[in-house]
Amino acid sequence: MSFDVRLRINDKVASIELKGELDASTAGRFHDVIDEAAQLGAIELVIRAENLTYLASAGLRSLVVARQKMGDEVRIAVVGAAEPVARTIRLAGFDHSIDLVDA
């Protein structure tokens, strides 16, 4: 399956929309967008995951990268993740570092 990532910034809130599978082959593209959001000084990062169909361990590492790049003072929310993706985040315990929000 293909992967697509799109960034929008509105009033210092970065919104990243993910579509497809986030794995080792696609994580680099996500990291590039995270870097861009961090450089633009976003104070909140919203990761729209409604169309994310798979989250591999590399995808989980990408969430760690997002936390590190954005800093602890920036709220990060993963919104609308399908249950298999949300379960992966919870099993890794990463739901304690980000907000996992239903759409």
Side-chain angles (χ1 to χ4, degrees):
M1 175 157 205
S2 65
F3 176 76
D4 192 30
V5 56
R6 295 176 191 267
L7 171 66
R8 282 184 279 152
I9 299 267
N10 185 13
D11 201 22
K12 296 276 187 183
V13 175
S15 179
I16 298 175
E17 183 178 344
L18 301 175
K19 182 178 179 182
E21 298 181 356
L22 182 55
D23 58 19
S25 69
T26 59
R29 291 175 54 200
F30 182 44
H31 293 181
D32 291 344
V33 172
I34 292 168
D35 284 343
E36 187 176 349
Q39 290 171 1
L40 292 171
I43 59 171
E44 183 174 353
L45 176 61
V46 177
I47 300 171
R48 305 293 311 194
E50 293 95 337
N51 296 309
L52 184 64
T53 57
Y54 178 70
L55 182 68
S57 59
L60 283 172
R61 282 193 303 276
S62 294
L63 294 177
V64 173
V65 167
R67 169 53 61 213
Q68 292 171 339
K69 293 278 183 177
M70 300 306 291
D72 290 336
E73 68 282 353
V74 174
R75 177 181 182 254
I76 298 177
V78 175
V79 177
E83 183 50 32
V85 171
R87 185 175 50 243
T88 300
I89 293 169
R90 286 192 297 271
L91 286 173
F94 203 65
D95 57 322
H96 300 290
S97 299
I98 62 167
D99 293 329
L100 194 55
V101 181
D102 292 334

